[in-house]
Amino acid sequence: GVNGSGKHNNFSISTETGLNLFNDSHVAAITGERLGEHEAFPVIMAAVCSAVYRHGSLIMASVSCPGNEFRLSKSGGCEAPPTCMSVHLGEGLTAFLRQFAESADALEQPYMARKRNVKLGIPSIDQHGIEVSEEPRNRTAPLPYAGRRFELRSCGSSQNVSFVNTVLCTIVSEAFHSFSDKIEKGVRPREVASAALKEGGGLKAVYSNNNYSEEWQQESVKRGLVQIGSVAEGICELVTEQSISLFGNLGVMSEEDLRERADTMLENYIIMVEIEAICLMEMITEQVIPTVKAAGLQDHSLLMQLQESVAELKADFNSLQDIEEFEGKAAASQTVRLEKMVAVRRLCDQLETLVPAAMWPIASFRDLIFDDMAALQAKWAFVECVAIGALNGATVDDRVIGITSELQEGLHKGTAKISVPSVWVKGSCVGGCNDGPEPGCGMLPMLASGKLQAMPA
């Protein structure tokens, strides 16, 4: 199958004066009586790491939308979110934080990311240069520090990220609040941050290797990180005692608000599964089964299995209507979606290999990926042929010109563009379909005005 699509949510926190708290150079300006030199940035990073360790399951809850169920994966792929939340800081910042937490020595210099200068081959840009981090991005990390921001990669493509950012702001605010309380009681900021990284588990949330590996699945459990393997399970993390206490103490949402939101998210998930199940059953009964029979496979064992599986799917689907409580119905819907529907789909895939491609009623991946490209090429060739035919009286099939790199280079020299069609008459550029080198030029405008017909062939 194909993983669901997602998007990245870039997250940073700034003060009212424009100070970005995740920008190491900005934070260097922060000073305090008990704050040592260069300590502000690692203190802030410690707060973020401890927040992720304490409330990683809540971040998973915030991205628990129906489309993400096919992205949540222990094996991963296509930047899909793994089943637990961790922070990727890069080797340099991770080592810096460990030294900061484990040593009482004063920091001799601030954290500075290793960077390299990249040349683009554009003189006006290369004279200034572009600096990029030397740290690997780690495509498997769900929440990497990307320099000046954190990048949450787990959001579903159709998801409204307002609640995602509400959760991120809330968990980081709690960490800041906890740090502030201790500092106001006289504890040095570095001591507070060091305790949060070590005893508080902040460093346990930091992981820079493959988040999809089996080793990490086991290691994350030992570290105390919560594994979330399904959308329904993730949504239910909103109404745990810890989550209710977190949102309530900070005045963000009441217990009633959280329970209403969880019920709404669960109901949305249930409705989505019902729509998918109905659509799947209709496609099979109205398209797949008749096609398989028409292909002469009416007695094939796979068809018998498919019909039995569809009957089981229908029975399980109907049984969902008897469950009133959202959490239980969502759990049952998950079984229908990830087990029953997947089993039916697997049988359809097997039958597809036995039916001639011309008879199969549903678009294949090859059709979906390449048909649009073929149609686009045909469209350009057709427009080009019509243009030439309008000038020379040729039939459409007489003059199909291939768009070679040499032709594109010539077009660019004469027209400053490489798009086609680009029609020329006696050394003069008429232009493309709707535009040209001068106002009123182009195939269609000149055909409409009669100027094209008046030009010498």
Side-chain angles (χ1 to χ4, degrees):
V2 175
N3 279 358
S5 56
K7 60 192 172 194
H8 294 177
N9 181 74
N10 291 296
F11 174 73
S12 60
I13 300 176
S14 297
T15 66
E16 59 184 6
T17 61
L19 188 73
N20 183 350
L21 298 184
F22 296 159
N23 184 332
D24 53 308
S25 60
H26 281 202
V27 175
I30 298 177
T31 59
E33 292 182 5
R34 297 188 300 277
L35 183 67
E37 190 175 11
H38 312 312
E39 289 183 357
F41 183 67
V43 168
I44 291 171
M45 290 293 106
V48 174
C49 291
S50 64
V52 173
Y53 180 76
R54 284 175 48 79
H55 302 293
S57 61
L58 196 53
I59 303 177
M60 296 291 288
S62 73
V63 297
S64 291
C65 60
N68 255 357
E69 190 134 61
F70 299 103
R71 299 177 67 228
L72 286 166
S73 170
K74 292 185 178 181
S75 58
C78 300
E79 294 197 26
T83 52
C84 75
M85 193 57 54
S86 66
V87 180
H88 169 69
L89 300 176
E91 294 179 0
L93 183 52
T94 300
F96 183 83
L97 278 186
R98 289 190 185 280
Q99 179 186 7
F100 174 78
E102 295 170 0
S103 173
D105 297 339
L107 296 177
E108 296 180 358
Q109 58 184 13
Y111 167 74
M112 296 184 64
R114 298 193 304 271
K115 296 183 178 181
R116 58 188 175 88
N117 195 279
V118 175
K119 302 294 184 182
L120 301 179
I122 305 174
S124 59
I125 296 178
D126 289 346
Q127 64 178 331
H128 305 290
I130 296 178
E131 288 190 338
V132 298
S133 173
E134 291 185 348
E135 295 281 4
R137 293 193 64 189
N138 190 350
R139 296 288 182 176
T140 71
L143 187 63
Y145 175 67
R148 305 181 181 182
R149 71 194 187 280
F150 283 88
E151 186 178 78
L152 181 62
R153 295 173 173 167
S154 305
C155 305
S157 59
S158 62
Q159 194 177 5
N160 185 320
V161 296
S162 59
F163 183 61
V164 173
N165 287 307
T166 297
V167 168
L168 291 174
C169 288
T170 301
I171 65 175
V172 173
S173 294
E174 186 209 37
F176 285 172
H177 190 274
S178 174
F179 277 34
S180 177
D181 283 348
K182 294 181 176 65
I183 292 171
E184 289 177 357
K185 291 178 181 178
V187 184
R188 292 182 62 246
R190 181 167 185 172
E191 294 175 7
V192 175
S194 297
L197 288 170
K198 294 187 294 184
E199 294 85 358
L203 287 173
K204 293 181 180 179
V206 178
Y207 188 71
S208 298
N209 295 322
N210 185 0
N211 281 255
Y212 301 140
S213 67
E214 185 60 33
E215 292 77 13
W216 173 236
Q217 303 302 319
Q218 299 172 7
E219 175 65 22
S220 61
V221 174
K222 293 179 182 178
R223 294 189 184 190
L225 299 174
V226 178
Q227 293 278 341
I228 303 294
S230 71
V231 167
E233 183 183 350
I235 293 172
C236 292
E237 288 295 315
L238 290 177
V239 291
T240 63
E241 290 186 8
Q242 183 178 9
S243 297
I244 293 171
S245 175
L246 167 70
F247 284 103
N249 290 341
L250 292 177
V252 179
M253 282 188 282
S254 66
E255 179 176 353
E256 182 181 2
D257 293 333
L258 287 170
R259 294 195 181 279
E260 289 287 350
R261 179 174 288 272
D263 283 348
T264 300
M265 292 173 69
L266 288 170
E267 185 178 23
N268 180 56
Y269 173 76
I270 294 165
I271 292 172
M272 186 64 67
V273 174
E274 289 178 346
I275 293 172
E276 291 175 352
I278 291 172
C279 181
L280 178 62
M281 289 187 289
E282 288 182 353
M283 290 174 69
I284 292 173
T285 57
E286 297 177 9
Q287 298 182 63
V288 175
I289 292 177
T291 300
V292 173
K293 290 180 178 179
L297 301 171
Q298 61 270 17
D299 296 325
H300 200 285
S301 61
L302 283 175
L303 178 59
M304 305 300 177
Q305 294 178 46
L306 177 61
Q307 291 172 320
E308 293 173 1
S309 295
V310 171
E312 291 178 9
L313 173 59
K314 186 175 182 179
D316 288 345
F317 173 79
N318 291 334
S319 67
L320 292 177
Q321 315 312 315
D322 299 327
I323 306 174
E324 296 184 0
E325 190 259 331
F326 284 130
E327 187 173 341
K329 192 170 184 177
S333 298
Q334 175 188 319
T335 301
V336 168
R337 191 187 206 197
L338 299 185
E339 296 180 19
K340 300 295 184 180
M341 293 174 64
V342 169
V344 169
R345 162 68 187 276
R346 190 177 296 115
L347 290 169
C348 288
D349 289 344
Q350 291 176 295
L351 283 167
E352 183 181 359
T353 64
L354 304 178
V355 176
M359 294 182 64
W360 192 252
I362 302 170
S364 66
F365 288 147
R366 181 174 58 190
D367 296 333
L368 295 172
I369 294 172
F370 296 113
D371 269 12
D372 283 349
M373 296 173 60
L376 182 61
Q377 291 173 349
K379 173 186 175 183
W380 283 118
F382 175 75
V383 173
E384 186 174 30
C385 290
V386 170
I388 295 171
L391 288 173
N392 298 334
T395 63
V396 170
D397 293 332
D398 285 341
R399 299 285 300 277
V400 178
I401 298 178
I403 307 304
T404 64
S405 59
E406 291 79 12
L407 178 57
Q408 288 182 332
E409 183 178 354
L411 288 173
H412 188 268
K413 289 180 179 179
T415 68
K417 65 178 184 178
I418 61 173
S419 59
V420 293
S422 188
V423 179
W424 295 71
V425 177
K426 298 295 184 180
S428 299
C429 179
V430 171
C433 184
N434 293 297
D435 59 359
E438 298 177 3
C441 288
M443 289 298 303
L444 295 182
M446 292 180 69
L447 278 171
S449 65
K451 293 182 180 178
L452 185 63
Q453 294 87 331
M455 295 184 71

